[in-house]
Amino acid sequence: MPNIKVIIPAYNEEESIPLVIKDIPSIVDEIIVISNNSTDNTEINAKNAGATVLVENRKGYGFACLKGLEYISQQEKKPDIVVFLDGDYSDYPEELTKIIEPIITDNIDFVIGSRVKELRETGSMTTPQIFGNWLATSLMGLFFKSTFTDLGPFRAIKYTKLLGLKMEDKTYGWTVEMQLKVLKQKLSYREISVNYRNRIGVSKVSGTIKGAIFAGVKILTWIFKYSFK
């Protein structure tokens, strides 16, 4: 089996984070939880569940992911695959095996878990989220002929390819930046349909008007930026 690291950004996910860690398959070599300025017991609960815990006090999903990558870069043994997963238990961590399979068996560079309607629990995605996903992926299809249908957070990528993307977004644009750079660099990619349930707690992005607006603006900014490069 390849060496697999899982990166989980988490902000005040004390209830859900132990469940997420518990359900991650044992084939994973290391689970890295980045506490993104958490003020509850996220850090201690993640540590007690067996994860490596890092702290990133600058708020932002991208900041947390970059902290995880910085940690990996300092390790002597580098992973073959990096998996990104949310800490709110909306994804099904046990489906990690489905996400990495195309990389292992078909040498695909990047795989994203698509939260298709048929496998989505009622209410698990808000109307702004559904519309935002449709708009973003439609624009990527228009400008880049892509076949993406989702900006889902559950994703896996070869570590060497991830380094080549030179990720930089610090906040809401991390996921769409990754997909746009995969398209621009003509990496191979595939979507795998995954189950999706109602998260534990309130979303820090889609659960607030401010978060939804900022996320939407950031996503569209990245798309138009790359469309005219």
Side-chain angles (χ1 to χ4, degrees):
M1 286 295 297
N3 184 291
I4 303 166
K5 306 275 188 185
V6 176
I7 289 178
I8 307 175
Y11 170 57
N12 288 349
E13 306 287 8
E14 62 180 4
E15 293 182 46
S16 57
I17 201 68
L19 301 174
V20 174
I21 294 168
K22 177 179 66 70
D23 287 355
I24 292 175
S26 60
I27 58 172
V28 167
D29 292 87
E30 187 176 17
I31 300 167
I32 306 161
V33 172
I34 302 90
S35 173
N36 193 205
N37 208 31
S38 294
T39 56
D40 63 0
N41 290 319
T42 294
E43 294 165 26
I44 190 168
N45 289 355
K47 186 175 181 180
N48 288 341
T52 298
V53 178
L54 309 177
V55 176
E56 174 54 76
N57 291 323
R58 294 170 295 181
K59 290 183 72 171
Y61 187 89
F63 271 127
C65 291
L66 289 169
K67 183 80 170 188
L69 293 180
E70 179 188 9
Y71 165 77
I72 290 174
S73 72
Q74 296 170 355
Q75 295 181 316
E76 184 175 347
K77 186 177 182 181
K78 302 297 189 291
D80 301 297
I81 299 171
V82 175
V83 176
F84 293 90
L85 176 65
D86 276 356
D88 59 15
Y89 208 47
S90 52
D91 295 303
Y92 287 69
E94 60 269 28
E95 293 190 315
L96 179 144
T97 51
K98 286 172 41 175
I99 297 288
I100 64 170
E101 184 178 4
I103 298 177
I104 297 171
T105 59
D106 298 328
N107 201 31
I108 298 296
D109 296 319
F110 173 66
V111 180
I112 185 168
S114 178
R115 300 165 292 183
V116 296
K117 184 177 181 181
E118 298 77 25
L119 301 178
R120 210 166 59 217
E121 191 174 278
T122 301
S124 58
M125 288 181 69
T126 64
T127 300
Q129 272 184 299
I130 295 169
F131 175 74
N133 267 313
W134 171 81
L135 180 59
T137 55
S138 295
L139 289 172
M140 283 193 281
L142 177 65
F143 293 130
F144 303 103
K145 309 300 181 190
S146 86
T147 57
F148 286 125
T149 64
D150 196 9
L151 304 179
F154 199 2
R155 50 185 59 201
I157 186 169
K158 292 178 182 175
Y159 180 63
T160 53
K161 301 298 184 183
L162 178 57
L163 291 180
L165 298 183
K166 301 185 186 302
M167 295 292 294
E168 57 187 281
D169 193 90
K170 310 299 192 302
T171 55
Y172 304 114
W174 174 272
T175 54
V176 73
E177 178 196 359
M178 184 181 292
Q179 285 166 253
L180 287 167
K181 288 183 171 179
V182 163
L183 294 171
K184 291 288 280 188
Q185 294 187 20
K186 300 189 184 307
L187 302 185
S188 58
Y189 66 91
R190 185 174 297 174
E191 282 192 336
I192 298 292
S193 297
V194 294
N195 291 278
Y196 199 68
R197 62 188 152 213
N198 284 284
R199 57 160 292 139
I200 294 176
V202 179
S203 172
K204 289 76 180 177
V205 179
S206 60
T208 66
I209 295 174
K210 178 183 176 183
I213 291 172
F214 274 112
V217 169
K218 201 65 181 286
I219 288 167
L220 293 177
T221 299
W222 269 108
I223 291 174
F224 288 114
K225 174 184 174 181
Y226 268 79
S227 298
F228 297 103
K229 264 196 169 187

